[in-house]
Amino acid sequence: MSMKLAVVTGAARGIGLATAKLFLEEGWQVAMIDRDGPALGAACEGLEGVLPILCDVSRPDQVAAMVEEIMSGPGRIDALVNNAGVADFGPIAETDLARWRRVMETNLDGVFLTSQACLEALKSSNGAIVNIGSISGHRASTLRVAYGTSKAAVMHLTQQQAAELGEFGIRANCVCPGPVRTKLAMAVHTQDIIDAYHDAIPLNRYGSEREIAEVITFLCSDRASYVTGQIVSVDGGFESTGIGLPALRS
């Protein structure tokens, strides 16, 4: 029997790259999908068992070509991790339709298109879908009108997938990261914001990319064979502590 294969979108950096590496450690093949060619090439350097594919998940033609390449090569898809996302933050008044669509076409349309394109392969493998939401889909915050709304929609889309695809043996779950200590976050979060997050999170720290990846790979594995339709927050308890973070409103 050939090795299982996971498709990970947005795999060139951050949570996507951490997830791809963890799948490899666990003996899977990984199709690493990203629209940033140079970053994808750098991310794949030195990794064995990966199939890098340049693809913008918001483009139906590119998504179809990506799945065709996988099926004509490894010939199977056992898990799909819809991780590709755009983090664009700004006030409601400054979010024009073009900006709104840029966020939605990757964060929401991309999840829909990629899941749909992988459907037949996932039926054959009784596979799993894990969509990456966000704590911003659970709780409103300033500057996140497009981003937060897109992630809330992904959470509901996940439950639609679970309800409809269960009869084919396909499981669908959503992982909602809280604040994660990525290079990008550390570059844009002021010390006030970092301190406020630490105060608001019961575990008093940011999460790591690896900690998010551990939950994603678990949900894709046979160990989670009776888990579907779930929204799992991986946030150090942040969701449990109430609404609002004053430092983010200043």
Side-chain angles (χ1 to χ4, degrees), residues 202-220:
L203 290 184
N204 300 122
R205 63 177 177 84
Y206 283 57
S208 71
E209 294 158 348
R210 174 76 178 214
E211 286 175 310
I212 311 300
E214 291 279 3
V215 180
I216 294 167
T217 55
F218 166 72
L219 288 170
C220 290

Side-chain angles (χ1 to χ4, degrees), residues 1 4 9 20 22 46 48 54 75 86 95 99 101 119 123 137 157 182 192-193 200 202-203 216 222 229 249:
M1 184 178 174
K4 287 187 172 184
T9 69
L22 187 50
E48 291 184 18
L54 196 62
V86 174
T95 302
R99 189 174 185 178
R101 286 300 323 149
L119 199 52
K123 286 180 183 179
L157 174 58
T182 61
D192 279 352
I193 289 174
L203 290 184
I216 294 167
D222 292 337
R249 293 200 295 270

